Amino acid sequence: SLADDLFRMGRLLHSVKVLPMAIEHYGTSFQAAPSAEAATLLGLALDQLGESETALAWWRNAIETDETYADAWMHIGRTYFEANDPRQSIPWLAAATLREGAIDESDAWYLLGMAHERQGRNTAAFLCSDLASGITGEITYVDGGFNTVGISPSFAEES
């Protein structure tokens, strides 16, 4: 379909960093056949151009289009986290962990754990890190969680 062709061209333009044209293609694709993925990637391109407020609006548009698509939830949570507002990021990141999307699920758990850690919720941070490591099979995040709650990584290896 035309919407699919426009979306694919937007992705190609996005991948080579021609962001204004990618945004135009994503937007036209969204107008032709609204999709959460087109709205999310349009928001991502806007965010990469420093237009975070407009990006947030497009991510919310993506959620209105398909609330089951995790990526928009994740990008909103990441934006608040990067703006040093972990309290605001937690509900968005938690929602992302419950949904399907292109973003690796462990990223949402990892960022959610970091947001909890910034709020001083070390147990929640550790549990999120543990869930992230269970998805990836890597112990990198868990080591950070053990250090957060004061348990040495060597203790974890002995268990």
Side-chain angles (χ1 to χ4, degrees):
S1 75
L2 177 61
D4 291 336
D5 291 343
L6 288 163
F7 178 78
R8 280 193 295 276
M9 185 56 135
R11 291 208 50 156
L12 176 66
L13 291 163
H14 198 159
S15 71
V16 295
K17 307 285 189 238
V18 184
L19 299 177
M21 287 184 69
I23 290 166
E24 185 177 323
H25 281 77
Y26 290 140
T28 306
S29 170
F30 186 84
Q31 286 177 333
S35 75
E37 192 172 13
T40 299
L41 290 175
L42 194 157
L44 184 60
L46 286 163
D47 190 49
Q48 290 168 336
L49 287 175
E51 300 286 332
S52 60
E53 290 302 316
T54 309
L56 285 168
W58 273 101
W59 292 324
R60 286 185 172 97
N61 210 356
I63 291 167
E64 290 174 11
T65 303
D66 180 4
E67 70 177 28
T68 66
Y69 188 65
D71 297 30
W73 296 89
M74 173 72 177
H75 287 302
I76 292 172
R78 177 190 50 80
T79 299
Y80 286 124
F81 180 81
E82 289 174 353
N84 206 22
D85 190 354
R87 184 191 58 73
Q88 182 81 343
S89 72
I90 288 172
W92 296 99
L93 295 169
T97 66
L98 302 173
R99 290 164 170 79
E100 298 288 326
I103 290 180
D104 185 351
E105 185 183 351
S106 66
D107 290 345
W109 282 111
Y110 176 65
L111 207 53
L112 181 59
M114 291 177 60
H116 278 298
E117 185 177 40
R118 283 193 184 170
Q119 290 283 283
R121 299 182 188 124
N122 294 338
T123 303
F126 172 75
L127 292 172
C128 290
S129 294
D130 189 42
L131 285 165
S133 69
I135 294 165
T136 64
E138 297 174 10
I139 199 158
T140 308
Y141 303 145
V142 175
D143 286 347
F146 281 129
N147 291 330
T148 298
V149 295
I151 300 172
S152 73
S154 62
F155 173 78
E157 292 168 6
E158 295 168 8
S159 301

